[in-house]
DNA sequence: AAAAAAC
């Protein structure tokens, strides 16, 4: 059998590192406060490790005092040297001044552009943290690192801390409070948290911190063009990959950590060029990643951190083989030799079982109610026959425009079942004076991105989407999610409506229901009831008649948020109660809350009250409801 | 039966 590039790589890692470089120090022998030493540029100089950090930090310090990367690097004559030694990662991991468009400095000047601009208010990047204060949490596993209350308690290093401030994150969201200490301790993690509650940061911070600690551990033989990222983040859609990349770039600003994004539909050559400039963290969709690995341009052999976002989707029937191939059949280190973190808002127990193959002695954390979105989203269900859907939609949109801000339409995301249906609805809406644009997987990537941008900017305040847009996308100011066609799976419903009501803000979700959605009736009714929503009588009647729940596929674990290792069926009480009070605690009674969950304040109460605002069910209930709710969605 | 994900 011939020696493949990956054999070569694996072989090379067993050899001593190259003599000219500081010797490799295995992670367990390293100074634990490697990251914190970043916070003091004067404290280096006694060990190999420290020297390296010192070198890096001095360079970073140079930057901090305002010189441009280009002139600086050129002046020192370092550019070429680094470039020559590009594949030696102890050096490579230093920002390379010759590649100006990878320079943190470059990003520095553009940081404000990178930032998600949230101009609603100044309350911490627009995140209504208080809305999260009283959320119950369940954590399972052995020796669980305790949660933190502030970012300051976590030793992420000064650079990352500065970025947290730049992002105006004043304090961690619940998932961040729990997941970050677990991840920082190097533990494997399965995390289940409500949509829009800060999962991306929860896995990015520890990964960036881990990369900073382990920078010198990579090795890359000069004779290949293979790159060896030390962290991999997988996403189910291209747009989500792009979004995670943008976020991660902000979080790692001026740390020297190199992040590259790779997904299909965009020229691979440019992505290769980005890789050649060095990569610590690779954000990718599965297909393009496999392609790159097959071409020998990326090796997973040095992966220390693996994060899978929307992990339940990534392990469902369509995606599972690809993910298994990447995680189990490439040269990725085995569970235990790498850190694996799986995140999603929903996590059916059946999928948890599959996922546990990837994990080693992991901790399960669930924040918020099981598979729930939030109380901040007002959910409304209308009984509408297929043939009446279009007119009904236009009535809603018309009503929204009438009641909206200066006659402008609030951003409205309309989900349909098929790509064809998305195009058709886009056409119908557009030709009836509603500025709409469609996004789906049959469009070329540029059209997809254009659609998203046009929607985000409000140019076309109606986005007609397939499930390509159902997960993870953070689109500020989506006031209304309309399920024109309901999904088959309650989890997809949760993710779809989660495009609104993000970051603690309120939102509205409307669904068009008819006999074809019968199988969803029971789980939908239960989900709504649990979220304190008004459930139409007719929906309850459908729910009683239907077989409901998840059916056999998920073993009846309807709300898909328990640690499957706990053996709970999901048919019993599905509030988290083990660590935090009981169901009655959740909503408004903060007095019985655990100390670690401070009393809710006015903001939360107001939001919850708005969400609990009763609806007048039936077709005539619209006008009044939209007035209040859509307005509050915009604040 | 549909959507997503490589060229």
């Amino acid at each position: 059998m011939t020696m493949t590039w990956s054999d070569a790589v694996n072989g090379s890692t067993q050899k001593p590192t190259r003599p000219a470089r500081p010797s490799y120090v295995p992670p367990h022998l390293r100074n634990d406060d490697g990251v914190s030493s970043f916070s003091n540029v004067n404290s280096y100089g006694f060990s190999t490790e420290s020297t390296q950090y010192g070198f890096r930090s001095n360079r970073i310090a140079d930057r901090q005092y305002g010189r441009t990367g280009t002139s600086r690097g050129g002046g020192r004559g370092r550019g070429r040297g680094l470039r020559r030694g590009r594949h030696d990662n102890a050096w490579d991991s230093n920002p390379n001044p010759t590649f100006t468009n990878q320079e943190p400095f470059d990003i520095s000047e553009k940081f404000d552009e990178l930032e998600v601009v949230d101009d609603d208010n100044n309350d911490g990047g627009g995140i209504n943290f208080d809305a999260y204060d009283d959320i119950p949490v369940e954590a399972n596993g052995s020796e669980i690192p305790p949660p933190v209350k502030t970012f300051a308690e976590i030793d992420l290093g000064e650079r990352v801390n500065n970025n947290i401030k730049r992002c105006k994150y004043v304090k961690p969201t619940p998932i961040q409070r729990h997941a970050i200490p677990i991840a920082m301790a190097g533990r494997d993690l399965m995390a289940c948290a409500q949509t829009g509650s800060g999962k991306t940061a929860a896995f990015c911070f520890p990964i960036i911190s881990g990369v900073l600690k382990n920078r010198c551990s990579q090795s890359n033989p000069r004779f290949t063009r293979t790159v060896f990222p030390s962290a991999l983040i997988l996403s189910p859609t291209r747009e989500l990959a792009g979004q995670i990349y943008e976020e991660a770039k902000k979080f790692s600003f001026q740390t020297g950590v190199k992040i590259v994004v790779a997904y299909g539909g965009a020229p691979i050559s440019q992505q290769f060029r980005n890789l050649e400039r060095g990569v610590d963290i690779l954000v990718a969709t599965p297909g393009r990643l496999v392609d790159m690995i097959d071409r020998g341009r990326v090796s997973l052999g040095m992966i220390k951190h693996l994060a899978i976002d929307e992990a339940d989707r990534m392990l469902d029937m369509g995606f599972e083989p690809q993910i298994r191939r990447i995680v189990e059949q490439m040269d990725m280190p085995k569970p235990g030799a790498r850190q694996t973190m799986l995140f999603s808002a929903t996590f059916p127990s059946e999928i948890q079982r599959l996922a546990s193959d990837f994990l080693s002695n992991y901790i399960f954390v669930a924040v918020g109610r099981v598979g729930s979105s939030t109380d901040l989203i007002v959910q409304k269900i209308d009984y509408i026959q297929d043939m009446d859907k279009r007119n009904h939609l236009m009535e809603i949109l018309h009503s929204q425009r009438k009641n909206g801000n200066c006659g402008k339409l609030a951003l409205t995301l309309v989900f349909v079942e098929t790509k064809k249906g998305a195009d058709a609805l886009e056409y119908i809406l557009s030709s009836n004076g509603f500025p709409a644009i469609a996004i789906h997987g049959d469009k070329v990537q540029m059209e997809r991105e254009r659609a998203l941008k046009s929607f985000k900017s409000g140019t076309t305040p109606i986005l007609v989407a397939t499930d390509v847009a159902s997960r993870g996308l953070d689109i500020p100011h989506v006031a209304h999610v309309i399920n024109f066609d309901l999904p088959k799976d309650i989890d997809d419903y949760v993710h779809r409506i989660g495009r609104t009501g993000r970051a603690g803000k309120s939102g509205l979700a409307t669904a068009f229901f008819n006999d074809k959605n019968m199988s969803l009736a029971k789980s939908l009714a239960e989900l709504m009831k649990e979220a304190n929503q008004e459930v139409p009588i007719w929906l309850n009647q459908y729910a009683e008649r239907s077989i409901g729940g998840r059916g056999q596929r998920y073993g009846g674990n309807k709300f898909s948020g328990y640690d499957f290792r706990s053996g709970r069926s999901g048919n019993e009480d599905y509030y988290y109660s083990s660590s935090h009070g009981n169901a009655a605690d959740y909503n408004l009674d903060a007095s019985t809350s655990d100390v670690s969950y401070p009393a809710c304040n006015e903001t939360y109460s107001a939001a919850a009250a708005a969400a609990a605002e009763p609806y007048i069910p039936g077709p005539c209930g619209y006008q009044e409801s939209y007035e209040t709710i859509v307005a509050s969605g915009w604040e």
Side-chain angles (χ1 to χ4, degrees), chain A residues 297-330:
Chain A
R297 296 294 294 266
V298 171
S299 164
L300 304 179
M302 302 304 287
I303 292 291
K304 299 282 184 293
H305 313 272
L306 167 66
I308 305 184
D309 203 3
E310 309 298 343
D312 59 331
R313 159 68 81 241
M314 299 293 263
L315 285 165
D316 79 8
M317 293 193 298
F319 266 123
E320 191 200 345
Q322 281 182 83
I323 301 302
R324 280 204 186 273
R325 191 169 166 215
I326 291 166
V327 178
E328 293 176 331
Q329 288 156 33
M330 301 289 190

Side-chain angles (χ1 to χ4, degrees), chain A residues 26-75:
Chain A
H28 64 283
L29 294 179
R30 281 180 207 150
N31 196 353
D32 262 347
D33 62 8
V35 163
S36 57
S37 52
F38 271 96
S39 57
N40 184 349
V41 292
N42 297 318
S43 67
Y44 307 101
F46 49 89
S47 73
T48 311
E49 184 79 355
S50 303
T51 305
Q52 270 200 3
Y53 282 153
F55 170 73
R56 281 197 40 70
S57 296
N58 287 336
R59 290 172 57 78
I60 287 170
D62 285 345
R63 295 204 162 75
Q64 195 174 28
Y65 298 122
R67 282 171 276 225
T68 70
T70 355
S71 65
R72 191 80 202 139

Side-chain angles (χ1 to χ4, degrees), chain A residues 394-412:
Chain A
M394 287 193 276
E395 278 170 30
I396 293 172
L397 294 171
H398 180 73
S399 157
Q400 264 179 223
R401 180 156 53 190
K402 202 178 71 185
N403 299 316
N405 206 340
C406 308
K408 278 168 81 176
L409 267 172
L411 293 196
T412 303

Side-chain angles (χ1 to χ4, degrees), chain A residues 366-439:
Chain A
V367 172
R369 289 173 303 174
V370 187
S372 156
S373 46
T374 71
D375 282 8
L376 303 172
I377 302 170
V378 175
Q379 298 174 53
K380 188 174 184 331
I381 312 285
D382 293 326
Y383 192 89
I384 302 288
Q385 296 299 348
D386 282 349
M387 56 176 296
D388 299 326
K389 281 181 175 179
R390 285 176 176 178
N391 278 339
H392 191 55
L393 175 64
M394 287 193 276
E395 278 170 30
I396 293 172
L397 294 171
H398 180 73
S399 157
Q400 264 179 223
R401 180 156 53 190
K402 202 178 71 185
N403 299 316
N405 206 340
C406 308
K408 278 168 81 176
L409 267 172
L411 293 196
T412 303
L413 181 46
V414 183
F415 281 105
V416 295
E417 175 142 37
T418 65
K419 295 179 271 204
K420 236 177 100 180
D423 282 333
L425 193 55
E426 176 198 36
Y427 177 78
I428 294 288
L429 291 175
S430 301
S431 48
N432 280 281
F434 296 102
I437 193 158
I439 185 168

